[in-house]
Amino acid sequence: MSIHIVALGSECPGGVGPGEEIMGQGQLQGGLLWSYLGHGALVGPCDLESSLHNPAFMEYTSRVFGDVTVVVRDCPSWDLLDSDWTSVRKVLEQADILVIKYSVTDKLAFQQVRNGYAPRLRPLLRHWGVPVILVAVGARLNDEGPPCTCPLCASDWSSCVPHSEGLQLSRDLGATYLELPSLNHVFVGRYFGSVLEYFMIQCLKHKAKERPEKRRGNKVNELRPPHLEQPGQTNTLVSKNESCFHSRLPPIRVEESSFSQDMQWLLERGVQFADVAFYAGDSGKELGWAHAAVLCAVSPYFRQLLLGPKTRERPQSRCVCRERDAGPHSLLSTWDGGIIDDMPRSEGHLTGRLSRLVVKDPLLCMCLWETLMFIYRGAWEWEHLQEALEEKLKSSLAVSQLMERIRSLIGRERGPRDTPSARAAQLGPQTLVNLFNSPLYSDVIFMVQGSVLPAHRAVLVARCDVMAAMFSGKYAEARSRVVPIHGVSSDTFLSFLEYLYTDSCCPASVLQAMAVLVCAEMYQVKRLQHLCEVCVCAYLQSMPSRELSSTGISVVRLLRRAKCHNAEQLYVWLLHFIANNYLIFSHKPDFLELSEDEREQVERLRWPSRGYLQELSEYQQRRRKLRKSRCIVM
């Protein structure tokens, strides 16, 4: 059996220019693949492959795994793809493995490959399913110190290829990305060689399944490498109503959003924090209560109507179903007596301030509760609103008129793309985003490390049970406008408030995600805690092995914090993550901080397993003995 390897690009700075000699044997022997194959490589095409011989490619052969022939076709010049694309494509069609090389100190050549040649190769590689190895050779040079290959080092990005750009190119090509600071036996043999051998083994297994089985008797004593099972990938985020995949890394389950239910509870039971009262225009009967902060966040009509007397302007109603002689204020108006202030203060919306609104439209007066429920649940469930109005009004004409008036009330007109999905994308939990960290109708101020963070008691009470107990009970916070927060940084508490207002959380790093997780556990917001667990898992999984081994983040200490703050899902996931990356974490000093039970579980789940390493060692010993015996016979 034979394996065809095609190598494109040059690992040397400057590469090969147009008209230059492609590669001499001296240059060849200093190359990446020649360094890996060693002294057993022979220059020249294999007899079996003479029909595919192309003079533009430097061809040489060698043997691996005892009796497997490796045919390498190496072309350092990318110009061949422009001058003779047909012959290059024929060679690529026969390739079992494709190796793309570039020098990290030759940024111009890398940009030509990324912008010009990679888009041409990408569809072919996806169609053929050829494994690709993208190798960055060389050390990035710093002006003030020794060579550095750290992906966070930006001192030489102007002249060298950054780690992030090489990694992005590998993702575009579906390739395995490697960085080799030099072509010595450590980097070439251990790093590049292990990856290349893995793909060669997979290629041999695939070819063995395709060809018919012959000479069964000779296969009994054939030397075969041990099989290494790859660790499974995890579906990190799994909702309660979704099925999870079986994998080595356990999934993190996150509860469904309760944002709409929380806001509905606020409308139904949050009368203690209500500051807007509605009255019927004809009878003066009280119709219900609401919260100015929520109304103003959803509707620009309410925002204009409920502003202070100095800046308030009359709202312009865009209702098209009223009579022509009707004024622009046919839906709502303020009470003739104005706004009552029980506890006057200098600025902002006050705790004792009550706004009274008169509902002048008879249809809106009959269905005010359904309209408020629609607004509080995010102002996007139009179908449910229409069903509720049809059940109450029993008239399709009246329902159509009231629906148009509600659209004008919240500042939305029906358009050609007014679909349910479009409405849900525009509104939903994002309706309160304008209130986040805004002094508009703020009735509480949090003092966190000297930072002033305005908030709204109604939203806090609806979204957090601890906040509800704090502001509703006989605590000092219930009577004070300024509430100090201790033990939490301002950025962390601001992220916590952002979740309460927007139902989303996007920490910028692993440490910030853990800090928000601790804050969520302090205020008993389970869903936010699970979202932070997902963020931590996603950040750790996105790190390549090289960055994971050099990062200053201690995964073992993250494990300790997860256990301390009742993050059980994250605790179990980190144990499996340490086991899946055993060769990296077992050499770190903090690995000894694991308890005896934790270390036993990691040893049981470790990858690669002890059994595989023992089989690999025995296989390598038998292969050395077999080579020695063949040399003696020769």
Side-chain angles (χ1 to χ4, degrees), residues 89-234:
R89 178 165 179 168
K90 290 182 180 179
V91 174
L92 290 176
E93 287 178 354
Q94 303 297 325
D96 296 317
I97 301 172
L98 177 61
V99 179
I100 298 177
K101 306 167 292 179
Y102 69 89
S103 173
V104 298
T105 58
D106 193 351
K107 192 169 186 178
L108 180 59
F110 173 82
Q111 292 175 346
Q112 292 176 350
V113 174
R114 180 188 60 187
N115 301 330
Y117 301 112
R120 299 173 61 180
L121 293 174
R122 187 183 303 118
L124 298 178
L125 297 178
R126 291 179 178 177
H127 177 69
W128 295 331
V130 179
V132 183
I133 305 175
L134 182 64
V135 185
V137 180
R140 297 180 180 87
L141 302 179
N142 284 324
D143 297 332
E144 300 179 356
C148 176
T149 59
C150 174
L152 302 180
C153 181
S155 60
D156 57 345
W157 279 15
S158 59
S159 59
C160 297
V161 181
H163 169 82
S164 59
E165 294 186 10
L167 188 61
Q168 183 60 42
L169 179 59
S170 67
R171 292 171 180 170
D172 295 340
L173 295 174
T176 300
Y177 181 67
L178 293 176
E179 284 193 359
L180 306 180
S182 63
L183 295 182
N184 58 30
H185 68 281
V186 176
F187 294 107
V188 174
R190 182 176 301 177
Y191 295 151
F192 175 74
S194 60
V195 175
L196 185 62
E197 287 179 7
Y198 169 77
F199 286 121
M200 287 193 293
I201 292 172
Q202 297 300 319
C203 178
L204 292 175
K205 290 181 179 179
H206 182 69
K207 290 186 176 183
K209 292 180 181 179
E210 291 182 347
R211 71 174 186 175
E213 297 184 2
K214 297 180 180 180
R215 296 180 298 177
R216 289 180 176 268
N218 295 335
K219 288 189 175 182
V220 176
N221 299 325
E222 185 178 348
L223 198 59
R224 297 180 180 179
H227 175 65
L228 176 61
E229 295 183 357
Q230 295 298 311
Q233 297 296 323
T234 179

Side-chain angles (χ1 to χ4, degrees), residues 419-624:
T419 61
S421 59
R423 301 184 199 119
Q426 294 179 10
L427 296 172
Q430 297 300 319
T431 51
L432 299 183
V433 68
N434 294 329
L435 293 180
F436 170 60
N437 201 22
S438 171
L440 179 65
Y441 284 99
S442 171
D443 53 3
V444 62
I445 294 176
F446 292 105
M447 297 295 298
V448 188
Q449 292 184 340
S451 300
V452 178
L453 305 179
H456 308 80
R457 295 174 188 263
V459 179
L460 301 178
V461 167
R463 297 283 288 144
C464 178
D465 294 337
V466 174
M467 292 282 188
M470 184 172 65
F471 290 121
S472 303
K474 297 181 180 180
Y475 297 100
E477 291 83 357
R479 300 182 300 272
S480 175
R481 181 179 176 86
V482 179
V483 178
I485 300 295
H486 305 286
V488 180
S489 66
S490 58
D491 293 338
T492 300
F493 195 76
L494 190 64
S495 299
F496 172 73
L497 292 179
E498 182 181 8
Y499 168 79
L500 297 183
Y501 280 82
T502 65
D503 202 47
S504 61
C505 177
C506 299
S509 63
V510 175
L511 298 181
Q512 185 180 1
M514 285 300 300
V516 178
L517 184 148
V518 173
C519 184
E521 192 262 343
M522 181 188 308
Y523 289 95
Q524 299 181 12
V525 183
K526 277 292 183 182
R527 185 171 184 273
L528 175 59
Q529 187 174 356
H530 294 162
L531 287 177
C532 293
E533 292 177 349
V534 171
C535 291
V536 172
C537 298
Y539 280 124
L540 292 178
Q541 270 194 295
S542 64
M543 290 185 179
S545 299
R546 180 173 172 227
E547 183 179 354
L548 197 62
S549 60
S550 61
T551 182
I553 300 175
S554 174
V555 178
V556 176
R557 293 175 185 174
L558 293 180
L559 183 77
R560 298 267 72 82
R561 294 188 68 184
K563 185 177 182 180
C564 179
H565 295 284
N566 301 317
E568 298 178 359
Q569 295 187 100
L570 180 60
Y571 175 77
V572 175
W573 190 93
L574 289 175
L575 276 179
H576 284 74
F577 185 71
I578 294 174
N580 278 9
N581 298 274
Y582 184 87
L583 298 179
I584 295 177
F585 293 113
S586 60
H587 294 86
K588 292 192 173 185
D590 55 4
F591 185 79
L592 301 177
E593 299 178 10
L594 293 174
S595 64
E596 185 176 349
D597 294 339
E598 293 169 345
R599 198 175 305 174
E600 181 180 352
Q601 186 173 359
V602 169
E603 291 288 345
R604 180 172 55 85
L605 299 172
R606 60 174 291 179
W607 183 90
S609 63
R610 290 184 178 274
Y612 170 79
L613 296 179
Q614 181 65 28
E615 293 177 2
L616 181 62
S617 177
E618 295 175 356
Y619 165 75
Q620 292 175 347
Q621 291 178 3
R622 289 199 299 265
R623 194 171 70 170
R624 292 193 203 99

Side-chain angles (χ1 to χ4, degrees), residues 140-407:
R140 297 180 180 87
L141 302 179
N142 284 324
D143 297 332
E144 300 179 356
C148 176
T149 59
C150 174
L152 302 180
C153 181
S155 60
D156 57 345
W157 279 15
S158 59
S159 59
C160 297
V161 181
H163 169 82
S164 59
E165 294 186 10
L167 188 61
Q168 183 60 42
L169 179 59
S170 67
R171 292 171 180 170
D172 295 340
L173 295 174
T176 300
Y177 181 67
L178 293 176
E179 284 193 359
L180 306 180
S182 63
L183 295 182
N184 58 30
H185 68 281
V186 176
F187 294 107
V188 174
R190 182 176 301 177
Y191 295 151
F192 175 74
S194 60
V195 175
L196 185 62
E197 287 179 7
Y198 169 77
F199 286 121
M200 287 193 293
I201 292 172
Q202 297 300 319
C203 178
L204 292 175
K205 290 181 179 179
H206 182 69
K207 290 186 176 183
K209 292 180 181 179
E210 291 182 347
R211 71 174 186 175
E213 297 184 2
K214 297 180 180 180
R215 296 180 298 177
R216 289 180 176 268
N218 295 335
K219 288 189 175 182
V220 176
N221 299 325
E222 185 178 348
L223 198 59
R224 297 180 180 179
H227 175 65
L228 176 61
E229 295 183 357
Q230 295 298 311
Q233 297 296 323
T234 179
N235 183 24
T236 306
L237 175 58
V238 178
S239 302
K240 283 190 174 181
N241 59 346
E242 297 178 353
S243 60
C244 61
F245 301 105
H246 295 284
S247 60
R248 291 178 62 91
L249 290 177
I252 304 295
R253 300 184 180 273
V254 180
E255 297 85 352
E256 295 181 355
S257 173
S258 62
F259 185 87
S260 299
Q261 293 80 356
D262 294 341
M263 299 308 296
Q264 179 177 341
W265 177 91
L266 177 63
L267 178 62
E268 294 174 346
R269 302 182 184 180
V271 183
Q272 178 182 355
F273 302 96
D275 49 5
V276 177
F278 292 92
Y279 296 88
D282 52 355
S283 63
K285 179 183 177 181
E286 181 180 314
L287 300 177
W289 296 74
H291 305 81
V294 179
L295 297 178
C296 292
V298 177
S299 170
Y301 188 95
F302 282 109
R303 196 177 306 127
Q304 295 180 16
L305 192 64
L306 295 174
L307 286 177
K310 294 183 180 180
T311 58
R312 184 177 73 245
E313 299 178 358
R314 285 290 185 179
Q316 300 295 324
S317 174
R318 292 181 288 179
C319 179
V320 297
C321 300
R322 300 294 295 173
E323 297 79 12
R324 291 184 178 179
D325 56 345
H329 322 300
S330 57
L331 294 178
L332 296 166
S333 67
T334 55
W335 188 272
D336 293 338
I339 298 177
I340 300 177
D341 290 326
D342 298 333
M343 298 174 60
R345 293 178 185 249
S346 58
E347 59 182 8
H349 189 67
L350 309 175
T351 306
R353 182 174 173 177
L354 177 64
S355 301
R356 302 186 179 187
L357 300 181
V358 177
V359 183
K360 298 192 292 184
D361 185 88
L363 293 178
L364 184 60
C365 187
M366 292 178 58
C367 303
L368 179 64
W369 176 257
E370 288 77 9
T371 304
L372 291 177
M373 182 65 69
F374 167 74
I375 292 175
Y376 270 68
R377 288 181 62 87
W380 65 276
E381 298 173 334
W382 293 93
E383 288 75 13
H384 296 291
L385 174 63
Q386 186 171 358
E387 293 176 0
L389 297 182
E390 289 175 351
E391 183 178 355
K392 193 164 188 177
L393 296 178
K394 309 296 183 182
S395 171
S396 59
L397 179 60
V399 170
S400 177
Q401 292 177 353
L402 185 54
M403 289 286 288
E404 291 298 329
R405 294 169 191 176
I406 294 175
R407 286 190 179 91

